[in-house]
Amino acid sequence: MNFTASKQPENCLLGPESDSQRTLYPYVTGTSVVALKYKDGILMAADMGGSYGSTLRYKSVERMKPIGKHSLLGASGEISDFQEILKYLDELILYDNMWDDGNSLGPKEVHNYLTRVMYNRRNKFNPLWNSLVLGGVKKGEKYLGTVSMIGVNFEDNHVATGFGNHLARPILRQEWHENLSFEDGVKLLEKCMRVLLYRDRSAINKLQIAKITEEGMTISPPYSLKTYWEFSAFENPTQGAVGSW
Amino acid sequence: MDLEMNLNAPHSMGTTIIGVTYNGGVVLGADSRTSTGMYVANRASDKITQLTDNVYVCRSGSAADSQIVSDYVRYFLHQHTIQLGQSATSKVAANLIRLLSYNNKNMLETGLIVGGWDKYEGGKIYAIPLGGTLIEQPFAIGGSGSSYLYGFFDQAWKEGMTKDEAEQLVVKAVSLAIARDGASGGVVRTVIINSEGVTRNFYPGDKLQLWHEELEPQNSLLDLLNSSNSEPMNI
């Protein structure tokens, strides 16, 4: 038995994998990230799962990290590529600090840098296999943007990656409004994360919510959401049609 | 049934590897089977390889890839130790492994578990699966046999074990994986690393606990038949 998933079929025209200079497929992946703008800044949520194919292999992966003083980066997709991006950003912030000129990179600039990195890698057929969410506040201005592995980037009042696009954004389109309080923002994100927990196979019930405001970034300790299963329709669903599901 | 064993298939370590922290250090464990297709090329391999005096690595996946990666990292760590003037930390070793695994992700097929003890952070375990993600954990499992151990560790792992408890857990786990994974087998090797140094242990296959549907090994049927509570041969 081979535990790797990288065997090509016999009739494949792709050539030997070792010749390739490109990332072919992800191994350890994170699922959705959801974020929204609220009164004081940005709220972002992500679970702590690192899946290895269909196995929920790692359950304490922090997929949201602070970048400099003003930004927060959340990532889904290949974790090793996310770790590499964090190293690139570390260097970027370091050089920025070395100017020692009182100025610091804001979220808009960091988002732009990431967009260039992701798009240029895509052009070389060697993508960083991630979908990124970049949020932050600088001088009172809130910013929330996203970049995908092919370089698609945009900003909005609420963004999500992966399954979050399909399950969370419709909820956010209905219920998001300008100047949400912290409590309402958190409850809205939790509503989204609960739906993702029910409906996304790679979601795990251990998440963190991060907040970034003018004052700085804080990230909650890992916690779990309560789920509801006691619908009467759930108790005996096949009573009227034995053998169905 | 395929009777032609592919003797030229790449040497792969379908394996079970484990790394566990305890209050004072780490315990690394592994089975000893290296297979070439369906043939067991080496039934007593040593998959726990030394990187420095205080840091070891458990290797899984392609035997060649894991050997070359650990050889390079041993070489780099040796130079690093000279420059630094003191022992390398397990974090540095793990990051060197990560760099090689990540930057050559298209070519390599190896999952590694780095475990060591240093004076700054004590005992630490780092997992570096396929792709080159680096993840620090209180315990890590890897290799094809690890599939059978996720549930076991969810139930049996606890924080703050003693050295003996940790080693017993590792031996039990590797033994359970060997029972169910065709690609794991042979002996259980463990390496314990703490402030006092490194201890290597060896548990031969016939000395391990028996699991479900496994029988006590005998020298011969004749011994069974001749023993006092013998069963008559049935037709």
Side-chain angles (χ1 to χ4, degrees):
Chain A
M1 185 187 127
N2 197 336
F3 79 96
T4 59
S6 54
K7 282 284 147 68
Q8 294 170 321
E10 275 175 9
N11 54 353
C12 190
L13 299 173
L14 284 175
E17 262 177 41
S18 51
D19 286 357
S20 183
Q21 288 297 324
R22 55 202 192 93
T23 303
L24 295 160
Y25 27 66
Y27 290 100
V28 181
T29 55
T31 186
S32 321
V33 178
V34 191
L36 47 78
K37 283 187 190 167
Y38 80 109
K39 185 163 53 81
D40 304 326
I42 311 290
L43 282 168
M44 195 184 294
D47 73 12
M48 299 190 76
S51 297
Y52 190 77
S54 56
T55 304
L56 305 172
R57 192 168 184 185
Y58 302 108
K59 294 191 178 182
S60 296
V61 183
E62 277 200 31
R63 298 194 290 115
M64 297 182 293
K65 294 282 183 184
I67 310 293
K69 288 200 287 269
H70 304 285
S71 313
L72 174 57
L73 175 66
S76 65
E78 170 67 49
I79 302 295
S80 65
D81 285 344
F82 174 52
Q83 291 180 341
E84 192 74 358
I85 288 169
L86 290 175
K87 293 221 187 297
Y88 285 140
L89 288 173
D90 212 25
E91 194 183 73
L92 182 75
I93 301 290
L94 181 71
Y95 278 109
D96 185 48
N97 288 341
M98 274 162 60
W99 286 107
D100 198 20
D101 57 3
N103 197 14
S104 50
L105 288 170
K108 201 178 172 100
E109 289 93 72
V110 177
H111 183 231
N112 180 254
Y113 172 80
L114 288 170
T115 302
R116 291 299 103 220
V117 169
M118 301 299 272
Y119 182 61
N120 277 289
R121 288 284 300 253
R122 167 264 191 196
N123 287 342
K124 293 187 281 194
F125 280 92
N126 183 204
L128 288 160
W129 208 284
N130 296 108
S131 288
L132 305 170
V133 172
L134 196 293
V137 197
K138 191 176 168 194
K139 296 215 177 72
E141 271 197 55
K142 303 187 280 265
Y143 185 90
L144 182 60
T146 179
V147 199
S148 75
M149 67 186 262
I150 55 171
V152 171
N153 73 96
F154 55 90
E155 31 164 327
D156 208 337
N157 292 320
H158 46 80
V159 295
T161 67
F163 258 71
N165 275 308
H166 299 102
L167 298 173
R169 300 237 23 233
I171 300 175
L172 294 166
R173 278 184 208 116
Q174 286 277 67
E175 301 193 19
W176 184 88
H177 57 83
E178 202 77 55
N179 289 319
L180 277 165
S181 68
F182 173 73
E183 288 75 26
D184 285 343
V186 169
K187 281 201 209 121
L188 189 48
L189 276 180
E190 285 178 340
K191 188 171 184 178
C192 295
M193 295 305 280
R194 191 174 288 106
V195 173
L196 287 168
L197 185 57
Y198 287 139
R199 299 294 182 173
D200 179 1
R201 264 174 51 164
S202 37
I204 64 162
N205 196 0
K206 188 172 172 195
L207 65 143
Q208 291 177 299
I209 295 193
K211 156 170 86 84
I212 186 158
T213 62
E214 194 74 53
E215 282 78 55
M217 182 263 199
T218 59
I219 183 162
S220 75
Y223 73 103
S224 294
L225 289 170
K226 284 202 183 151
T227 53
Y228 187 72
W229 301 89
E230 257 110 281
F231 291 107
S232 57
F234 282 9
E235 270 158 51
N236 253 319
T238 59
Q239 200 160 46
V242 175
S244 75
W245 52 273
Chain B
M1 188 175 74
D2 174 25
L3 291 166
E4 279 175 26
M5 294 184 290
N6 185 2
L7 295 170
N8 294 317
H11 277 60
S12 163
M13 286 181 301
T15 304
T16 307
I17 51 172
I18 302 180
V20 147
T21 58
Y22 72 93
N23 64 359
V26 298
V27 180
L28 300 177
D31 74 309
S32 70
R33 176 171 289 186
T34 301
S35 32
T36 337
M38 291 301 272
Y39 176 67
V40 178
N42 187 351
R43 66 179 169 106
S45 10
D46 183 6
K47 304 179 189 182
I48 310 178
T49 303
Q50 184 179 27
L51 294 178
T52 68
D53 288 341
N54 54 317
V55 183
Y56 280 65
V57 63
C58 294
R59 303 179 291 112
S60 78
S62 156
D65 288 349
S66 64
Q67 280 173 0
I68 201 72
V69 168
S70 50
D71 283 350
Y72 270 116
V73 172
R74 189 180 312 115
Y75 168 63
F76 295 139
L77 280 173
H78 185 219
Q79 294 182 322
H80 172 64
T81 304
I82 293 169
Q83 288 188 314
L84 197 63
Q86 56 187 43
S87 315
T89 61
S90 43
K91 188 187 272 192
V92 168
N95 274 102
L96 287 168
I97 299 257
R98 181 200 84 91
L99 278 175
L100 285 172
S101 290
Y102 180 77
N103 290 320
N104 297 294
K105 63 160 83 186
N106 292 331
M107 289 181 278
L108 294 173
E109 194 193 287
T110 173
L112 301 150
I113 297 178
V114 175
W117 185 94
D118 57 65
K119 65 186 184 195
Y120 298 105
E121 300 213 80
K124 285 285 179 190
I125 292 288
Y126 297 91
I128 302 124
L130 257 47
T133 312
L134 174 73
I135 181 149
E136 198 246 299
Q137 300 178 281
F139 73 90
I141 55 177
S144 56
S146 67
S147 307
Y148 307 97
L149 296 176
Y150 285 99
F152 174 70
F153 271 89
D154 278 348
Q155 185 220 51
W157 159 263
K158 41 189 192 8
E159 198 72 52
M161 287 186 288
T162 65
K163 180 173 73 132
D164 290 328
E165 281 175 333
E167 207 201 3
Q168 285 319 305
L169 182 68
V170 168
V171 172
K172 191 172 184 180
V174 178
S175 165
L176 280 167
I178 287 173
R180 291 293 185 175
D181 179 29
S184 300
V187 308
V188 180
R189 296 191 195 274
T190 64
V191 171
I192 307 174
I193 314 172
N194 52 36
S195 55
E196 280 140 48
V198 176
T199 315
R200 268 192 171 283
N201 287 321
F202 172 84
Y203 298 87
D206 54 339
K207 297 285 186 305
L208 299 168
Q209 182 181 350
L210 289 171
W211 304 116
H212 183 51
E213 285 179 321
E214 290 183 342
L215 300 171
E216 195 69 53
Q218 308 289 340
N219 282 324
S220 163
L221 172 66
L222 304 173
D223 293 345
L224 259 182
L225 293 173
N226 291 334
S227 67
S228 50
N229 46 335
S230 61
E231 291 173 18
M233 302 253 282
N234 290 313
I235 298 170

